[in-house]
Amino acid sequence: MNRELILLYWDIGRGIVEKQEVLGWGESVIDRLSGDLRQAFPETKGFSPRNLRDMKRLFSAYSNARIWRQPVAELPVMEMPASNRRQVVAKLKESEVIEKLRQLIAEIPWGHNLLILNKLSEPNKRLYYIYTSFRCGWTRSVLLNQIKADAYGRSLAEGKAHNFPVALPEHLAEQAEEALKSSYNLEFLGIGREIKELELENRLIEKLKGFILELGYGFCFVSRQHRLLAGNKEYLVDLLFYHRYLKCLVAIELKIGEFKPEFAGKMDFYLNVLNETERASDDNPSIGIILCAEKDDVVVEFALKSKTNPIGVAEYQLKPTLPKELKGKLPTAKELGEAIGLHAKRLGRSKKS
């Protein structure tokens, strides 16, 4: 039902735009059209003047193929490696590019579409949240939180630390790159103090749905403290997932401090054991993700340099951070304390006098 409704709204928006361009209709015609539609379809909601203007906005926003060809080619809208997508999209006619957009937009509810239209203006961002809302089944509140947390920015290649290009075939490395974020927003855990790694893991398991939503499309939970046997010893992987799209096991290690080189060696060992003992014959090589509070990209690069297994390192965020434009412009806790102390002294002197 949602799909047909959005496609209808698209067609109404297109009709309004075309009539205004060809016949010179003014904005007032939308009010008259709203009355006519509500009179013709009294039991159908959604034909208010405001909604009709939103339908026009929807069509206008997504009907220019020159704007949308590059985002469609760059983002995983089509289920194929990035290089193949670019080649395919480059050969599409303008009408075919718009039709792909139209079909994708119809996969998410009207409220989601309006939220994206109202909150975002850049084509790449809009397309990312449309596609990810559809693939991950985000509710409107989850979509809003993901926009606020800049899920798009954290999905970009910039800032990602991994060795996928040297550890995986080219097509799989591109897909793994798209699945990994540069950082993960764990504010939904509600942690405002220092905690131990086991407590962090417990919180993630308690709110597993939120964690899977943050990880992104395709992650399926397998187990926590997953036991691996090597020789006569037992080893534990913090969290083990299977990725449906990448068709591989994904081991996740949680670290409450900054990244250390030895973390990479430990993960490399885990992946060797997973590949040898649990990887299915038709699975791709297992991937490791090390989630830590901080990382130095240079240290990560040297730590992964000799590793043959694909490993990614990302930061996690437990508490909101200041917007970039405000960083350095607000006083630190120390400066604020000194200022309050100085004010108190002055106040004391004035009382004595």
Side-chain angles (χ1 to χ4, degrees):
M1 177 63 182
N2 174 77
R3 182 178 181 80
E4 287 73 20
L5 183 65
I6 302 302
L7 292 176
L8 172 63
Y9 284 179
W10 173 280
D11 290 339
I12 291 175
R14 177 174 57 191
I16 293 173
V17 170
E18 290 176 349
K19 295 298 183 183
Q20 286 183 327
E21 289 178 352
V22 176
L23 301 179
W25 285 4
E27 281 297 311
S28 61
V29 75
I30 291 179
D31 296 317
R32 294 199 299 272
L33 179 60
S34 171
D36 292 343
L37 287 172
R38 284 190 283 190
Q39 186 175 356
F41 306 101
E43 296 182 0
T44 303
K45 297 181 179 180
F47 292 142
S48 67
R50 178 178 178 179
N51 229 28
L52 292 184
R53 287 185 173 88
D54 285 332
M55 294 175 204
K56 175 187 172 183
R57 287 174 60 213
L58 181 80
F59 176 78
S60 298
Y62 300 109
S63 58
N64 188 333
R66 286 172 292 179
I67 293 175
W68 289 101
R69 188 181 294 275
Q70 182 269 336
V72 170
E74 292 298 326
L75 294 173
V77 176
M78 303 167 69
E79 301 296 348
M80 59 182 68
S83 55
N84 291 0
R85 281 201 307 272
R86 296 185 192 105
Q87 294 171 6
V88 171
V89 174
K91 297 177 182 178
L92 292 177
K93 298 177 182 177
E94 290 192 357
S95 59
E96 293 173 324
V97 174
I98 297 306
E99 180 58 24
K100 287 191 175 296
L101 264 178
R102 175 176 173 268
Q103 295 298 327
L104 181 60
I105 289 163
E107 297 290 351
I108 63 173
W110 180 236
H112 286 55
N113 274 302
L114 288 182
L115 181 60
I116 291 169
L117 275 176
N118 293 334
K119 293 289 184 181
L120 305 163
S121 59
E122 297 176 31
N124 288 68
K125 288 186 177 182
R126 282 180 171 173
L127 187 56
Y128 170 83
Y129 288 106
I130 292 170
Y131 173 78
T132 313
S133 293
F134 160 56
R135 296 309 303 264
C136 296
W138 286 348
T139 63
R140 199 185 314 179
S141 60
V142 170
L143 169 60
L144 177 59
N145 287 334
Q146 292 289 347
I147 291 174
K148 287 183 176 179
D150 190 25
Y152 169 76
R154 291 179 290 113
S155 73
L156 298 178
E158 183 179 356
K160 293 184 182 180
H162 57 75
N163 65 343
F164 296 163
V166 297
L168 293 170
E170 182 180 357
H171 73 284
L172 192 58
E174 288 181 345
Q175 295 175 36
E177 164 74 42
E178 290 172 350
L180 177 71
K181 296 179 181 178
S182 60
S183 66
Y184 292 84
N185 186 349
L186 305 185
E187 292 176 25
F188 63 87
L189 297 178
I191 298 174
R193 55 180 174 78
E194 287 190 10
I195 60 171
K196 296 181 178 179
E197 289 170 5
L198 184 58
E199 186 177 354
L200 176 59
E201 181 183 321
N202 288 337
R203 289 289 191 96
L204 286 173
I205 294 301
E206 287 172 7
K207 300 192 176 183
L208 187 59
K209 180 180 178 181
F211 186 44
I212 291 177
L213 285 172
E214 177 61 19
L215 286 174
Y217 170 72
F219 284 87
C220 303
F221 179 66
V222 176
S223 67
R224 64 176 297 193
Q225 293 297 299
H226 187 80
R227 286 176 168 77
L228 297 176
L229 293 175
N232 296 322
K233 291 189 176 182
E234 181 180 85
Y235 301 89
L236 300 176
V237 177
D238 288 344
L239 300 169
L240 186 65
F241 290 82
Y242 186 83
H243 199 287
R244 292 168 54 199
Y245 183 37
L246 297 174
K247 295 190 180 301
C248 69
L249 292 166
V250 180
I252 296 181
E253 281 288 287
L254 305 170
K255 303 298 178 184
I256 59 172
E258 65 179 355
F259 174 82
K260 296 179 181 179
E262 52 264 37
F263 296 165
K266 186 178 179 182
M267 177 60 79
D268 195 47
F269 170 76
Y270 287 165
L271 295 177
N272 283 332
V273 179
L274 278 172
N275 287 331
E276 185 68 27
T277 62
E278 301 195 30
R279 174 186 169 192
S281 58
D282 58 343
D283 277 351
N284 289 312
S286 302
I287 293 174
I289 298 177
I290 301 171
L291 285 182
C292 49
E294 296 178 9
K295 65 179 174 67
D296 184 313
D297 288 342
V298 175
V299 175
V300 173
E301 182 181 352
F302 279 114
L304 299 183
K305 209 173 188 68
S306 61
K307 303 298 179 287
T308 56
N309 288 307
I311 300 172
V313 180
E315 296 177 343
Y316 60 79
Q317 178 183 315
L318 294 175
K319 294 183 291 184
T321 57
L322 280 174
K324 290 181 180 178
E325 61 270 18
L326 293 182
K327 286 185 178 179
K329 296 183 179 180
L330 295 180
T332 64
K334 182 180 178 181
E335 291 170 339
L336 197 58
E338 290 174 351
I340 292 173
L342 181 62
H343 176 72
K345 288 180 181 178
R346 289 174 178 171
L347 189 62
R349 285 197 298 268
S350 64
K351 285 185 177 179
K352 288 180 182 179
S353 59

